[in-house]
Amino acid sequence: MDELRDAALHALDCARKAGAYAADVAISQGESFEARVRGAAIDFVKQSRERSLGVRVFYGGRGGLSSATTRSNDLAPGVIASVAADAVALAIATVPDPCAGLPDRGFAADAPDLALFDPRDHPFDTEGRIAAAREAEAAARAVDPRIADSDGSQVDASRSRIIYANSAGFLGDYESGRHSLVAESLARAADGAMQRDVWYTASRRLDGLEPSAAVGAKSAKRALRKLGARRVPTCEAPVIFDPVVAPSLIRQLAGCLSGYSVYRGASFLAGCMGERVAAPGVTITDDGRRAGGLGSRPFDGEGLPTRRNVLVDGGRLRSWILDTYAARKLGLASTGSAVRGGGATTTNLWLEPGTLSPETIVTSTRRGLYVTELIGQGFNPVTGDYSRGASGLWIENGEIAFPVEEITIAGNLGAMLKEIDAIGSDLLWLGSAAAPTLRISRMTIAGS
C-alpha cells in the first residue's frame, strides 16, 4: 500500500466514524509543464505540482440520503479526519434525496492497459519540448514570407495519478499522461490585412504527437488561405464542417443526451429515445476504453467500469449519458459516465467516418460554405436552435473560390443532424471528440 491509497482508506474510515452511511474518496496527484515560444524567444515556462483529496459522504435520513463533499490539498492524517467530519456535518444539514447514494453494485473488477501513460516520457524533457516549439515556429515562418509573426507555439505536458475508493469496498487507481503542441501563425497581406490560424496535436504519449515542423507548417498554410477573406450575401446553402470544427456538433449533441438535461426537461431530445434524430448514416459512439484515447479511463467517477456506449446508431437515438443519480431519476442504469463532483460526461466521443474523401465532398458541392472556424457559443439545448459566427472558404462549381469571414451560420441542431448528406472518411482525433468532414444540405448563412 502507498501513501495515497492509505490516505483514501483513512478518509473512508474517518467518514464512517463521523457517522456517514456511505462515502467515497477521490485523490488526484499530478505535475504539469507548459512553455510558449514566439520566434526563438521564450514567452514563458511554467511547471507545477499539486494534489487534492475530495471526500463525499452520504448521511441516512428520512426520505433518502443527504450528501456533501469537502476537499483539501493537505493529506496529513489529522487534516483528513477534519475534512471527513466536516463533510458529515454538512450532509446532516442537507435535504435528503431518494436518488442519492453510491452505485448498488457493478464496480470495475478489471484494470485494462489503456495506454494512458508512457514512463519514458517522464520526467519531462523541458529543453526538448521548448526545442519542439521553436521548431514549429521556424517551420511556420519558412512556409511563406507573408508569415511575418505568430502568437507563439506552445507545448504542454502533464502526468497525473487518480485514486478512487468507496465504502462499498472498491479501490482503484491509474496513471495518465498528456502532451500537446499548438502553433498559431499570423499572415500579412500586401495591403497590411492580417489573418491568424492554428494547428495542434495532442496525445497520451510524446511519440504520438505530430512532428513539430508539420504542426507549424499547417498553422501557416491555414492562416495564408484566409488572406483576402470577405463576407458573402445572406443566403441558404450547403455547409461543410471540416474535421477541426465538426466535433463541436457532436459535443453539443452529447450535452443534450446528458441524463441531467433529460430529467430536467432541458434538452430538445428528451422523449426521443429510439426515434430517428439524425440521418441514417450517422452513428455516434462514446468509448471510455479506447486505447490511448485522450478521454480514456478504466473506471468512472463512481468506480463503475467505463465502456463503449453507442449513443446514436444509424440515425436512431439509443442511449443517454448517465451517472448513478441521473439513472435513478430516469429509472435506468448508469452508463459508466460519472465524473467526480457530480454529473456525467463523455470520454472518447466520435462520429463514425463514411467513405467519401473530403475532396469529393467539396467537388460535389455546387455552391456552399466550407467552415474552418467557429466563433461563440450560440446554441440553445432546450430548443436545439443553433447560431454561430464562422469563417472558412466559399465554394463555387465544386471548387474553393475565396476565403470568407464575418458571417453567421444558423439552423436547428435537430434538423441539421437529419440533413447530413455527406460524411467524410477523414476522422481526425485532436482531442477527446472527433468527427470527419460533414456536409449539411442546407443552412442559413448570414453575411452582407
Side-chain angles (χ1 to χ4, degrees), residues 95-305:
V95 177
D97 188 326
C99 293
L102 298 175
D104 296 322
R105 63 184 72 84
F107 297 106
D110 57 350
D113 180 7
L114 301 179
L116 305 182
F117 174 73
D118 187 342
R120 296 174 298 177
D121 296 336
H122 302 275
F124 302 133
D125 177 10
T126 56
E127 293 301 321
R129 302 305 298 135
I130 292 171
R134 284 189 168 127
E135 186 179 10
E137 285 287 284
R141 294 166 193 245
V143 168
D144 191 288
R146 291 173 294 174
I147 303 297
D149 202 351
S150 79
D151 275 345
S153 293
Q154 182 164 329
V155 289
D156 295 85
S158 63
R159 171 187 183 176
S160 61
R161 184 180 178 210
I162 303 296
I163 293 176
Y164 174 82
N166 64 34
S167 56
F170 177 81
L171 173 61
D173 72 299
Y174 61 91
E175 279 190 283
S176 64
R178 191 181 192 283
H179 307 269
S180 66
L181 166 63
V182 58
E184 183 168 0
S185 295
L186 297 174
R188 187 191 301 273
D191 62 0
M194 296 183 66
Q195 293 286 352
R196 53 159 290 279
D197 212 327
V198 302
W199 190 253
Y200 57 99
T201 177
S203 175
R204 291 289 191 184
R205 305 164 64 109
L206 195 55
D207 62 9
L209 295 179
E210 192 172 353
S212 304
V215 174
K218 287 183 179 179
S219 73
K221 291 174 182 176
R222 289 175 67 89
L224 287 167
R225 72 179 182 179
K226 296 170 73 173
L227 290 176
R230 61 181 191 264
R231 303 175 76 181
V232 292
T234 298
C235 63
E236 287 192 348
V239 173
I240 301 170
F241 291 78
D242 83 355
V244 175
V245 297
S248 67
L249 297 177
I250 61 171
R251 282 195 292 265
Q252 287 170 324
L253 172 69
C256 298
L257 301 184
S258 164
Y260 287 80
S261 296
V262 174
Y263 80 70
R264 290 169 177 158
S267 167
F268 76 97
L269 291 171
C272 293
M273 184 54 65
E275 296 182 6
R276 185 172 296 285
V277 297
V282 174
T283 293
I284 300 172
T285 304
D286 182 57
D287 188 350
R289 295 196 168 191
R290 178 177 176 269
L294 290 169
S296 294
R297 47 189 175 146
F299 52 82
D300 73 357
E302 296 177 319
L304 298 180

